[in-house]
Amino acid sequence: MIHITRRERFNAAHRLFREEWSDEQNLEVFGKCSNPKWHGHNYELFVTVKGEIDPETGFLLNLKDLSLLIRERVIEKVDHRNLNLEVDFMKGRLVSSENIAAAIWDELAEGVRKLGAELHCVRLVETENNSVEFYGYNS
Ligand code: NI
């Protein structure tokens, strides 16, 4: 079993808030990320896949294919976008790093399987100090 990680980056705007709460309540729970006028992050996305090494190629999979998949399913939809308003796979979800990572998992899992590997981890770095790792629904 081998693990391979591909890094991609994107810039996006978001706001953490619950519509039914006042601005004050949102600020109390979500802090600066609840700013009603939006704000952005330079996100780093690390996608780790796992599987067995193909004895013919020496690869687990072709990293170019993995990069293309991540670009098509995720980066093109989120880069320079407003995650609350413009991203189909975030519709109806609170735009926290946790939920973004889980939604990205949903976008990628099947495509990774088609490339002959299994998705292992989606790691999303929001700031230098804060990151989340999503390992799927049963781990
Ligand atoms: Ni934020």
Side-chain angles (χ1 to χ4, degrees):
M1 169 78 61
I2 194 142
H3 292 71
I4 292 179
T5 300
R6 171 75 193 178
R7 181 187 73 161
E8 302 285 346
R9 288 189 276 203
F10 62 95
N11 311 314
H14 83 143
R15 181 190 175 199
L16 282 179
F17 73 113
R18 299 206 69 90
E19 218 165 322
E20 66 272 26
W21 291 358
S22 66
D23 284 352
E24 291 71 30
Q25 199 176 358
N26 276 306
L27 181 65
E28 199 183 307
V29 174
F30 297 121
K32 280 184 178 175
C33 277
S34 76
N35 176 12
K37 302 293 185 192
W38 314 104
H39 66 281
H41 295 282
N42 296 317
Y43 290 96
E44 269 189 304
L45 172 65
F46 295 85
V47 175
T48 302
V49 301
K50 63 185 173 185
E52 299 302 330
I53 300 171
D54 181 334
E56 235 173 36
T57 61
F59 294 161
L60 166 57
L61 47 60
N62 189 323
L63 269 176
K64 201 175 161 196
D65 293 338
L66 180 61
S67 172
L68 271 175
L69 173 72
I70 301 169
R71 278 160 188 275
E72 277 176 23
R73 296 302 303 247
V74 179
I75 303 301
E76 280 173 19
K77 296 179 182 180
V78 297
D79 193 30
H80 288 74
R81 300 282 182 177
N82 182 314
L83 299 175
N84 293 73
L85 303 179
E86 296 182 275
V87 177
D88 58 355
F89 64 72
M90 291 310 297
K91 285 254 154 62
R93 301 198 203 212
L94 211 147
V95 185
S96 62
S97 293
E98 292 89 329
N99 282 342
I100 301 168
I104 289 174
W105 177 283
D106 293 341
E107 285 298 296
L108 295 176
E110 195 190 327
V112 170
R113 216 167 294 132
K114 282 182 184 157
L115 295 178
E118 283 293 322
L119 190 52
H120 175 69
C121 177
V122 171
R123 175 164 185 248
L124 188 68
V125 179
E126 189 181 73
T127 69
E128 255 179 83
N129 297 322
N130 298 331
S131 64
V132 300
E133 289 168 30
F134 189 78
Y135 290 94
Y137 295 94
N138 298 314
S139 4

